[in-house]
Amino acid sequence: MTFELQHTDNASEARTGLITTDHGVIKTPIFMPVGTCGSVKAVHFRELEEQVKAQIILGNTYHLYLRPGLDVLRAAGGLHKFNGWSHPILTDSGGYQVFSLTGIRKLREEGCEFRSHIDGSKHIFTPENVIDTERVIGADIIMLSTNVRRDKAITSMLRKASDSHSAGWTGASDVSMKQNHFTVTNKHSSPSFRDVRSRI
């Protein structure tokens, strides 16, 4: 993947550019429709292409991992072939979805243990197996695992999250990385912590 800077606005530092991926070029800035389970609800791919002019869609690793599941996606040859979308796809790590499963998930040093909201089965997301999952999905851009903390706990908890889980999980994710990957800054209210997360 390559990024070519096209223009920078001197007054605001806003910029435009071109991201080139294996499935096409993305003109930035861009609106990215959310296709959580591999499709954008109530919108046909033809409409996404011709009317919305979508250049990339987002898929959710947590939801795709549970349904249709890795066996189905692997047999299909990845999400592009499974859903018929020929343009770039970005997958997030599913970290926020897992974190939001209050009462049915446990944060551990090695990752996050959780139960499926579909059938209650037990699973664990680690930096390594999330990356493996995103490889099976076959997204052009993949997001690394993060540990989401509530804004009200911004001080000591955020520091701990940045120093241990988030930074540690990102480091573990780099073990055998081959796809285009990015980390996430999860709406932290502290500019200094946002800066730290953006540099991991």
Side-chain angles (χ1 to χ4, degrees):
M1 186 184 76
T2 62
F3 174 73
E4 179 184 346
L5 181 63
Q6 297 282 292
H7 178 75
T8 300
D9 182 75
N10 295 327
S12 65
E13 296 188 0
R15 61 184 187 172
T16 63
L18 300 175
I19 298 175
T20 301
T21 74
D22 289 344
H23 288 93
V25 176
I26 306 163
K27 298 178 181 179
T28 67
I30 183 67
F31 168 71
M32 179 167 54
V34 175
T36 301
C37 296
S39 64
V40 180
K41 290 184 178 180
V43 184
H44 194 281
F45 279 167
R46 183 177 61 255
E47 296 171 318
L48 283 176
E49 293 175 327
E50 298 177 1
Q51 298 178 32
V52 180
K53 306 295 183 183
Q55 301 172 57
I56 182 173
I57 61 172
L58 179 148
N60 184 274
T61 297
Y62 166 79
H63 288 284
L64 291 167
Y65 165 80
L66 292 177
R67 190 168 50 193
L70 299 188
D71 289 342
V72 172
L73 289 171
R74 190 179 288 111
L79 184 57
H80 284 93
K81 292 183 179 179
F82 178 78
N83 67 7
W85 179 254
S86 61
H87 306 289
I89 294 175
L90 178 147
T91 48
D92 61 20
S93 68
Y96 187 87
Q97 284 69 33
V98 170
F99 183 82
S100 69
L101 298 174
T102 305
I104 56 174
R105 57 99 174 116
K106 295 180 181 179
L107 292 177
R108 305 185 184 281
E109 189 63 34
E110 65 272 20
C112 185
E113 181 181 292
F114 64 95
R115 290 189 177 277
S116 165
H117 70 283
I118 299 172
D119 60 9
S121 56
K122 185 181 291 187
H123 305 268
I124 185 169
F125 269 4
T126 69
E128 294 85 359
N129 70 22
V130 166
I131 293 301
D132 289 340
T133 297
E134 292 185 279
R135 283 183 178 144
V136 173
I137 294 170
D140 300 88
I141 301 173
I142 62 179
M143 311 305 291
L144 302 184
S145 297
T146 56
N147 180 358
V148 183
R149 298 292 188 180
R150 299 295 187 188
D151 286 343
K152 66 181 179 181
I154 190 66
T155 51
S156 62
M157 293 182 72
L158 180 54
R159 181 174 291 106
K160 182 179 179 181
S162 293
D163 292 344
S164 61
H165 283 96
S166 291
W169 289 15
T170 303
S173 298
D174 284 336
V175 172
S176 54
M177 180 66 60
K178 293 182 179 179
Q179 286 175 286
N180 306 298
H181 65 289
F182 294 86
T183 188
V184 181
T185 300
N186 283 304
K187 300 181 181 178
H188 295 162
S189 60
S190 167
S192 62
F193 281 116
R194 287 201 301 270
D195 182 66
V196 168
R197 290 296 297 125
S198 67
R199 296 175 187 275
I200 292 176

